Amino acid sequence: MNCLTNVSRSSYSALPLCSSRFKCKSSVSVHPNFVNMKGLLIATDLRTNCVVRATSSPAPNADTEGANDEEKSDVYSTNMTEAMGAVLTYRHELGMNYNFIRPDLIVGSCLQTPADVDKLRSIKVKTIFCLQQDSDLEYFSVDIGAIREYASTFDDIQHIRAEIRDFDGADLRLRLPAVVSKLHKAVNRNGGITYIHCTAGLGRAPATALAYMFWVQGYKLNNALSLLLRNRKCFPNVEAIKSATADILTGLKKRSITLTWSGDNCSTVEVSGLDVGWDQRIPLTYEEKHGSWILHRDLLEGRYEYKYIVDGEWLTNTYEPVTPADKDGHINNYIQVVDKDPESISAVLWKRLAADDFDLTTNEREIIKQFLDEYPDDE
């Protein structure tokens, strides 16, 4: 599949991927920090106090230096599958690909040359919304400066950047409010058709489009997701969108957790997933007096999946909650970080977010709209 034709549904798939084994006992406890929540007041605090910058994506592996686009695509697809927990494929060498999600909204892969600007102008695109970081562009040798300079010579199209770290659900969660605010303002300013892209158009771009449809265009989340997946086979991080929704409505509320791996027959214990993504690891500290490995961490409210790495071996723990097994039997541990008071604003909201038919109230939509309108621009 190449250039401006639609992507075949059979060209890639989205299947859970993760291996697991159990070794020794561990335990987890959650200790809430009580924070006053007043809806829009806290949303305002989120705007003024937490303007989040995306950290850089991992640099290209040295093994890909001098490789051609086809070889780089193979490595990128493998990394994407491992990091996102889904089997996904991107072929950069076949050129830009995209799908219309709505008549005014397109999700696709990255522009590769200034000529791609002409292709998008030919289908009346008014805003090119790029979510890539410099490291993403450098990996495939994309000259973003030339693309932006060429786009700036026209008065009927605008190229905008709003970076999100690749393969990182935690960064996606934190960045989505700022990114969707920027997108919302661009669409209001430019009108017409908007083209949202990351590198492959399979993770960050569909997630951003989904959040925009949910927060701005008035869709119920599941209805927006169904529309997105009918038109493009992709893997948006829905949990990150739900978490970002809660962040806007209740503030960036953190709670302390403690993970404990019991046993002194290990030389190293680490955790992956959680709030750092599957491509990073957090070491646990051994406390001799308890004979246990300990991790204390402050986490934003929400649901987190994770796995232990004990002496280099990836393990789950049957004494902690585990996800349902996929068709291959793969599972992860998970933790739900939430206010223990079931009647609190945040606890009630998280319970609603877990429902299949979740929708925002009129008041919540007004809070989110005001938040997006008033979020400070980063340029």
Side-chain angles (χ1 to χ4, degrees):
M1 191 61 61
N2 199 2
C3 294
L4 297 182
T5 52
N6 285 346
V7 177
S8 168
R9 288 183 177 273
S10 62
S11 61
Y12 45 81
S13 60
L15 301 174
L17 179 74
C18 216
S19 61
S20 61
R21 287 178 56 195
F22 173 73
K23 187 172 183 180
C24 54
K25 181 180 178 181
S26 64
S27 61
V28 59
S29 59
V30 182
H31 309 285
N33 294 324
F34 295 99
V35 180
N36 183 32
M37 297 183 298
K38 296 295 183 182
L40 183 57
L41 174 61
I42 300 299
T44 303
D45 294 340
L46 176 61
R47 284 198 308 273
T48 57
N49 297 332
C50 299
V51 178
V52 183
R53 302 289 180 180
T55 56
S56 296
S57 298
N61 191 298
D63 293 340
T64 63
E65 292 182 6
N68 59 35
D69 281 349
E70 185 173 355
E71 293 167 332
K72 288 183 177 180
S73 292
D74 289 339
V75 173
Y76 183 85
S77 296
T78 298
N79 291 344
M80 179 165 52
T81 292
E82 292 176 350
M84 294 179 64
V87 179
L88 300 168
T89 302
Y90 170 58
R91 306 310 313 179
H92 186 81
E93 67 274 12
L94 298 182
M96 183 172 63
N97 70 76
Y98 73 87
N99 296 91
F100 275 89
I101 309 304
R102 290 169 34 106
D104 60 351
L105 184 61
I106 302 173
V107 172
S109 64
C110 65
L111 284 69
Q112 300 183 17
T113 69
D116 287 333
V117 175
D118 290 328
K119 294 173 184 176
L120 295 180
R121 290 183 66 236
S122 72
I123 56 171
K124 310 301 182 185
V125 168
K126 300 298 183 184
T127 301
I128 302 169
F129 200 73
C130 172
L131 301 168
Q132 292 176 287
Q133 296 186 291
D134 288 345
S135 56
D136 305 326
L137 298 157
E138 291 165 2
Y139 180 74
F140 282 112
S141 302
V142 174
D143 187 348
I144 189 66
I147 292 172
R148 286 171 61 83
E149 182 179 358
Y150 184 66
S152 69
T153 64
F154 302 100
D155 60 7
D156 61 350
I157 194 167
Q158 182 182 19
H159 188 288
I160 298 173
R161 296 187 67 183
E163 299 179 21
I164 299 175
R165 191 172 189 264
D166 210 356
F167 314 142
D168 190 331
D171 192 69
L172 176 65
R173 170 187 183 168
L174 291 176
R175 285 289 296 163
L176 266 179
V179 167
V180 174
S181 171
K182 195 171 189 177
L183 173 63
H184 170 54
K185 293 171 185 176
V187 172
N188 285 345
R189 180 172 62 249
N190 299 331
I193 299 171
T194 301
Y195 185 87
I196 304 175
H197 77 86
C198 47
T199 298
L202 302 179
R204 290 170 289 178
T208 299
L210 181 57
Y212 176 74
M213 294 166 69
F214 179 39
W215 293 345
V216 177
Q217 295 185 317
Y219 285 84
K220 293 179 68 171
L221 183 58
N222 277 1
N223 291 348
L225 179 61
S226 296
L227 178 60
L228 175 68
L229 296 180
R230 280 201 305 270
N231 290 288
R232 185 172 181 84
K233 194 76 170 182
C234 55
F235 199 73
N237 189 327
V238 177
E239 290 302 318
I241 296 169
K242 289 182 177 181
S243 297
T245 303
D247 291 339
I248 293 174
L249 294 174
T250 67
L252 286 169
K253 231 184 145 181
K254 285 191 173 184
R255 303 190 181 281
S256 297
I257 68 152
T258 300
L259 295 180
T260 303
W261 185 276
S262 300
D264 57 3
N265 59 335
C266 318
S267 58
T268 62
V269 179
E270 302 166 300
V271 166
S272 187
L274 215 57
D275 63 330
V276 297
W278 295 106
D279 62 336
Q280 300 184 62
R281 301 180 181 189
I282 310 169
L284 278 69
T285 301
Y286 183 70
E287 295 190 0
E288 188 172 357
K289 65 179 180 179
H290 299 299
S292 301
W293 298 79
I294 305 294
L295 174 67
H296 300 291
R297 197 164 184 85
D298 291 336
L299 297 178
L300 293 168
E301 290 186 339
R303 184 179 184 275
Y304 298 87
E305 294 187 15
Y306 60 95
K307 214 153 197 171
Y308 291 97
I309 305 103
V310 181
D311 292 339
E313 187 175 5
W314 291 70
L315 306 170
T316 52
N317 188 336
T318 56
Y319 287 91
E320 298 174 7
V322 295
T323 60
D326 65 15
K327 68 182 184 65
D328 298 315
H330 300 143
I331 59 174
N332 295 322
N333 287 120
Y334 74 90
I335 183 172
Q336 189 78 35
V337 182
V338 69
D339 195 327
K340 285 187 175 181
D341 178 4
E343 303 302 320
S344 71
I345 295 173
S346 61
V348 171
L349 177 59
W350 278 106
K351 183 176 180 180
R352 289 174 51 220
L353 283 166
D356 291 338
D357 61 346
F358 171 75
D359 195 11
L360 295 166
T361 67
T362 300
N363 182 58
E364 288 168 341
R365 289 195 178 278
E366 291 174 354
I367 291 172
I368 290 175
K369 183 180 184 303
Q370 183 174 347
F371 174 91
L372 297 176
D373 287 338
E374 296 181 0
Y375 199 99
D377 295 332
D378 60 1
E379 292 184 352

